[in-house]
Amino acid sequence: MAPPQTNPANEDLADVVRLIERMRNGERRAISHAVTELERLSAAAPALLQAMQPHLGHALVVGFTGSPGAGKSTLVNAYTRYVRSQSKTVGIIAVDPSSPVSGGAILGDRIRMTATLDDDGVFMRSLASRGHLGGLSPAAVRVIDALDAAGKDIVLIETVGTGQSEIDVAEVADVRVLVTAPGLGDDIQAMKAGLIEIADILVVNKADREGADRSVRDLQMMQGLAAEHGDWVAPILKTVGAKGEGIAELAEAADRHLAWLRESGELQARRRAHLRLRVETILKERVVREADQVLGLDREVERGFASRTDPYRVADRLFEGVVRREAEERRT
Ligand SMILES: Nc1nc2c(ncn2[C@@H]2O[C@H](COP(=O)(O)OP(=O)(O)O)[C@@H](O)[C@H]2O)c(=O)[nH]1
Ligand SMILES: [Mg+2]
């Protein structure tokens, strides 16, 4: 008897469906595997992303941004312990724009995180975002999806504050937490009002240190100057991350913000805007890649440079090449 006909595409799909089942059972190795595939955008990634789609949208995504040393990692750790005590599952993504994954800062975070690493309800991944402008790379966004699809109740993202990364994390997080601490007073002054505007919760960590109330007043003043977004006014909370103080209030504020997002319709609006941004990013990357493959981006630039052609003409030529190739491919 002839072997049954198998469709490789269907087989791939069956594989990813099985993988997602294992992820949703909390199998650490399955989640780790999926995260790696998505991070690298491997050949299996598109099928995985497609199969994950029905499982997305459950996780509450909380982004922590702020200056280095403010206590973001400490807060993420304390927050994780707190929500684990309520039996919620947690995914953590630490994004460092410069260090390779084995670098010092991330290693420090790893050590601080060890308390939660042997808990199957917590999955953590560090990502280096080097090679991508700004804070959150498209890879990081796909990893958020993986943790969401794995059924994590809460996904926490820590990015190192570099202005742009706050804005990038704002695009994906349901709750944007801006962390500062006394002694970083200069940072508060330097922090653009824009950062305060996009924060949903403002945290003054290290409230055990002198100057915390002063930091709170500074934030209140800056908030007064900033434009409001909707009818949500970001609460200003004091925490002592190192001792877990103020974490219950922080979690409660995050839940309140989620409720507000849902009631006001802002949640759908944000998620739609985020989808648009992702599609836009994919489109841009694809056009550039195809232009490079069709005519050779560097070669065309070199030609344009030598012949003093303006950049629009060079781009036109590349884009026309892409369009022509697409048309040819459709014909065959
Ligand atoms: N006194 C005090 N120190 C803290 C507190 N939270 C964090 N730290 C310390 O501040 C330093 C920086 O914290 P970390 O979480 O790595 O900051 P990050 O760079 O924003 O991630 C570490 O040495 C922490 O132990 C706090 O509430 N009070
Ligand atoms: Mg950190």
Side-chain angles (χ1 to χ4, degrees):
M1 206 168 76
Q5 289 280 315
T6 54
N7 177 342
N10 282 343
E11 225 166 70
D12 286 354
L13 201 61
D15 277 350
V16 294
V17 167
R18 253 193 311 275
L19 178 63
I20 291 170
E21 260 167 39
R22 290 174 48 217
M23 288 162 71
R24 295 180 66 78
N25 284 334
E27 275 185 51
R28 186 182 292 280
R29 279 185 52 198
I31 301 172
S32 184
H33 178 68
V35 162
T36 303
E37 298 278 331
L38 292 177
E39 190 189 343
R40 295 182 187 154
L41 199 56
S42 70
L48 187 53
L49 279 169
Q50 196 183 343
M52 277 170 15
Q53 206 59 36
H55 302 291
L56 298 183
H58 165 76
L60 171 66
V61 182
V62 186
F64 289 80
T65 61
S67 312
K72 297 179 296 295
S73 298
T74 311
L75 283 174
V76 164
N77 200 10
Y79 198 104
T80 300
R81 285 167 198 270
Y82 179 78
V83 293
R84 284 301 292 144
S85 74
Q86 303 177 325
S87 302
K88 290 179 184 161
T89 54
V90 182
I92 304 168
I93 303 173
V95 184
D96 188 298
S98 53
S99 338
V101 172
S102 59
I106 297 288
L107 205 61
D109 288 346
R110 280 256 169 84
I111 291 163
R112 262 195 293 283
M113 287 289 176
T114 46
T116 50
L117 281 184
D118 53 0
D119 172 359
D120 268 343
V122 181
F123 182 94
M124 184 190 177
R125 179 63 67 98
S126 300
L127 300 176
S129 73
R130 199 154 54 174
H132 177 75
L133 282 178
L136 268 197
S137 62
V141 177
R142 292 192 296 270
V143 173
I144 297 173
D145 278 354
L147 298 177
D148 187 9
K152 298 299 176 210
D153 298 311
I154 298 177
V155 173
L156 305 175
I157 310 165
E158 178 192 346
T159 60
V160 173
T162 58
Q164 184 58 42
S165 71
E166 272 91 348
I167 291 163
D168 288 342
V169 83
E171 275 149 5
V172 295
D174 300 319
V175 183
R176 307 147 178 182
V177 182
L178 183 61
V179 183
T180 184
L184 301 174
D186 292 347
D187 278 298
I188 298 186
Q189 302 304 326
M191 253 190 234
K192 292 177 206 79
L195 292 186
I196 303 235
E197 271 170 44
I198 60 173
D200 300 312
I201 300 172
L202 298 163
V203 169
V204 174
N205 188 43
K206 305 191 188 183
D208 54 331
R209 291 231 182 127
E210 213 177 301
D213 289 323
R214 158 105 227 203
S215 296
V216 170
R217 281 197 302 276
D218 284 351
L219 285 175
Q220 279 169 339
M221 192 196 68
M222 293 194 64
Q223 198 176 30
L225 299 174
E228 288 177 22
H229 57 100
D231 50 4
W232 175 264
V233 179
I236 303 173
L237 307 176
K238 287 197 286 187
T239 59
V240 184
K243 293 186 189 151
E245 288 171 23
I247 303 302
E249 290 77 6
L250 175 57
E252 191 261 333
D255 287 341
R256 245 187 317 123
H257 187 255
L258 180 66
W260 175 81
L261 284 172
R262 289 213 170 101
E263 282 157 24
S264 63
E266 181 73 11
L267 189 66
Q268 289 305 312
R270 280 193 193 183
R271 289 186 173 174
R272 204 177 294 118
H274 181 222
L275 176 63
R276 190 194 186 285
L277 189 79
R278 285 180 77 176
V279 171
E280 199 183 301
T281 306
I282 292 165
L283 266 178
K284 281 182 195 160
E285 282 177 355
R286 180 172 300 170
V287 169
V288 170
R289 194 173 57 235
E290 303 241 319
D292 194 29
Q293 280 167 7
V294 178
L295 296 174
L297 196 51
D298 285 334
R299 220 194 55 204
E300 281 305 302
V301 168
E302 192 51 49
R303 272 179 59 183
F305 187 70
S307 59
R308 291 173 163 259
T309 313
D310 73 272
Y312 286 90
R313 290 273 316 272
V314 177
D316 278 350
R317 199 146 56 205
L318 286 159
F319 190 71
E320 279 156 20
V322 171
V323 171
R324 209 175 316 122
R325 187 166 92 151
E326 292 281 315
E328 274 161 20
E329 269 175 13
R330 220 165 294 134
R331 240 177 287 131
T332 55

